[in-house]
Amino acid sequence: MQELLKEIQNDFEEMKENYFYLHRNAETGFDLPKTSAFVIKKLKEYGCAAQICGNNGVIAEVGDKGKGKTILLRADMDSLPIKEESGVPYACENGNMHACGHDMHTVMLLECAKLLKSRELELKGCARLLFQPAEERLEGAQNMIDGGVLRDPVPSAALMIHVMTGVDIESGKVIVTGGGTSAPSADYFRIKVKGKGTHGASASNGIDPITALSHIVIALQEIQAREIRTGERAALTVGRFSAGNAGNVIPEYAEADGSMRCFDGDTRRFIKRRLTEISESIGKAFRADVDTEFYAGCPPLVNDEQLSALCRVCLTELLGESNVLAPAEADGRSMSAGSEDFAYIAERVPSVMLAVSAGSRNEGYEYPLHNPKARFDLEALRTGAGAYACVALKYLS
């Protein structure tokens, strides 16, 4: 394992250059022409045949899938539509920003590809590398599955890494969650209310959709406060409320967008049902028509206990026991409450998600993920690359 760390150190300057390019050229969703082209170019330089999967995803394989097990290693590539304010000299200037660290994940997996390729004859099986688009939209993983990433053959294990910044965990430390849920489900919803427009001075001639929707938004808070069991983790947020164009007009329509997150499948189904029932019932009470739509989402991400144990063993060997944490040693967290569409893969394949600290508040990295001022400690690139590679080598040994 020390030989692995030595190689990563020798490649560190190249890794940083790869990171600077991806960070400066942040792209969003499935629209990743520069990012995908760069990933393919680097994979070819490292001797790996690469191909497009689905809508601008990239896959490559190292090893022989006919001679053993296959492990899937996944990195996401997309950024956020955020104007960067980090102040770093390699900041993106196109209106997008890698504020979630996906560029770091991509660089880590590229270095892993290089490390595994140089050890290809040692592998008793195959490492399938997936560079995924559209994680922020929770659509990329399912698109890759539809594109065949879990076929020929079906992987017997899968691994992903996500970085954190602006946390209270020293940079370079890895959190390995045991078996069970490590990231909540996500569901995005839209509530549309149709009333009857009229003059603001003659409200009795119309049906006010703003009043109806306001009562709906307030009532939805009671689901979490009064209908979820004590200790059950869930979050329901309405983040957009839109209606009308003039202060003296009762509009015809009002709508709100929100999201809900749950760590349990039964709770997820219950909240979705109650959200619909409450919205439609209140709409009826106010004589308005209500349509509730769930338009995007993903299930909870469940870690496989045996694969988690294997990760802990080999990461301890690679990094030392003090640098490998259980959630209880990291204030109970393995990740933020953010959801992960890797869950679609974990539904089908025994999987694990690792979290790597890429900057703590005590080290001067005070802004969290998705903040326009977020910065990342590039030393964490070495940790992540080593983690990907050592787990793959251990699994295929």
Side-chain angles (χ1 to χ4, degrees):
M1 290 299 180
Q2 295 310 305
E3 184 68 25
L4 201 66
L5 291 177
K6 188 180 296 185
E7 281 191 49
I8 294 170
Q9 179 58 38
N10 291 338
D11 292 341
F12 191 46
E13 290 304 313
E14 181 185 7
M15 292 173 69
K16 289 194 288 186
E17 288 301 318
N18 291 346
Y19 174 79
F20 296 153
Y21 176 85
L22 292 169
H23 194 88
R24 286 192 185 103
N25 294 279
E27 298 171 309
T28 62
F30 289 106
D31 188 20
L32 308 175
K34 289 184 178 180
T35 304
S36 294
F38 180 81
V39 167
I40 291 172
K41 172 177 171 289
K42 298 306 293 187
L43 287 169
K44 288 181 178 178
E45 286 180 16
Y46 301 154
C48 302
Q51 64 186 67
I52 293 292
C53 176
N55 190 352
N56 258 337
V58 178
I59 56 172
E61 292 183 340
V62 182
D64 187 343
K65 60 189 177 185
K67 293 185 177 180
K69 298 178 290 189
T70 294
I71 183 170
L72 173 70
L73 307 176
R74 181 274 218 168
D76 36 17
M77 302 186 290
D78 58 320
S79 71
L80 290 154
I82 294 175
K83 181 175 174 58
E84 183 162 0
E85 300 174 11
S86 66
V88 297
Y90 46 84
C92 184
E93 298 179 352
N94 66 9
N96 299 326
M97 180 185 177
H98 272 294
C100 204
H102 294 185
D103 49 350
M104 295 196 78
H105 308 160
T106 300
V107 172
M108 293 169 180
L109 192 55
L110 283 172
E111 174 65 11
C112 172
K114 188 176 184 181
L115 296 167
L116 294 180
K117 190 65 180 178
S118 68
R119 294 165 171 78
E120 191 165 28
L121 295 179
E122 302 173 21
L123 303 180
K124 297 178 181 178
C126 173
R128 182 173 298 159
L129 314 178
L130 168 61
F131 298 84
Q132 181 200 303
E135 189 282 328
E136 294 294 352
R137 289 166 45 173
L138 303 179
E139 297 176 354
Q142 186 60 56
N143 183 264
M144 298 300 98
I145 292 169
D146 295 342
V149 74
L150 297 185
R151 298 197 295 265
D152 190 29
V154 176
S156 50
L159 167 70
M160 64 155 284
I161 291 175
H162 206 300
V163 296
M164 304 178 293
T165 188
V167 294
D168 293 325
I169 303 165
E170 184 181 343
S171 183
K173 292 187 181 292
V174 183
I175 304 170
V176 182
T177 305
T181 302
S182 62
S185 63
D187 291 284
Y188 293 92
F189 61 85
R190 179 167 296 139
I191 302 170
K192 298 179 180 179
V193 179
K194 181 182 183 298
K196 180 181 179 183
T198 187
H199 195 292
S202 306
S204 61
N205 292 330
I207 298 172
D208 191 344
I210 296 177
T211 301
L213 186 54
S214 297
H215 280 80
I216 290 170
V217 170
I218 292 169
L220 292 181
Q221 308 311 309
E222 293 298 293
I223 298 176
Q224 195 170 350
R226 291 292 179 267
E227 299 191 23
I228 301 299
R229 294 187 304 273
T230 302
E232 187 70 55
R233 298 177 65 188
L236 194 157
T237 300
V238 175
R240 187 184 72 88
F241 191 116
S242 176
N245 297 302
N248 63 342
V249 176
I250 291 176
E252 193 88 359
Y253 297 96
E255 67 177 36
D257 282 12
S259 64
M260 49 173 280
R261 300 178 192 273
C262 305
F263 284 82
D264 175 78
D266 290 339
T267 303
R268 181 191 187 198
R269 287 184 286 274
F270 173 78
I271 293 179
K272 290 177 78 169
R273 176 172 63 81
R274 289 296 290 140
L275 188 149
T276 301
E277 289 173 350
I278 289 170
S279 300
E280 292 179 353
S281 297
I282 291 177
K284 186 176 182 180
F286 283 86
R287 301 176 295 137
D289 295 323
V290 174
D291 178 57
T292 304
E293 172 193 7
F294 293 91
Y295 58 88
C298 68
L301 196 164
V302 180
N303 283 347
D304 179 76
E305 189 169 353
Q306 288 186 321
L307 188 58
S308 294
L310 182 143
C311 288
R312 175 169 285 278
V313 168
C314 69
L315 289 171
T316 299
E317 184 180 342
L318 178 75
L319 303 171
E321 190 172 354
S322 64
N323 290 313
V324 182
L325 307 179
E329 300 171 282
D331 295 329
R333 63 182 290 168
S334 62
M335 279 286 295
S336 71
S339 302
E340 219 340 307
D341 78 341
F342 181 72
Y344 284 115
I345 293 172
E347 277 190 319
R348 296 164 170 82
V349 176
S351 299
V352 68
M353 175 176 68
L354 304 178
V356 174
S357 176
S360 73
R361 283 186 277 263
N362 289 337
E363 296 166 313
Y365 297 88
E366 62 268 41
Y367 296 101
L369 297 177
H370 288 219
N371 187 291
K373 295 182 180 180
R375 295 180 299 112
F376 300 84
D377 181 4
L378 302 192
E379 293 293 324
L381 292 171
R382 296 191 291 188
T383 303
Y388 272 128
C390 81
V391 171
L393 288 168
K394 192 82 168 179
Y395 188 79
L396 299 175
S397 64

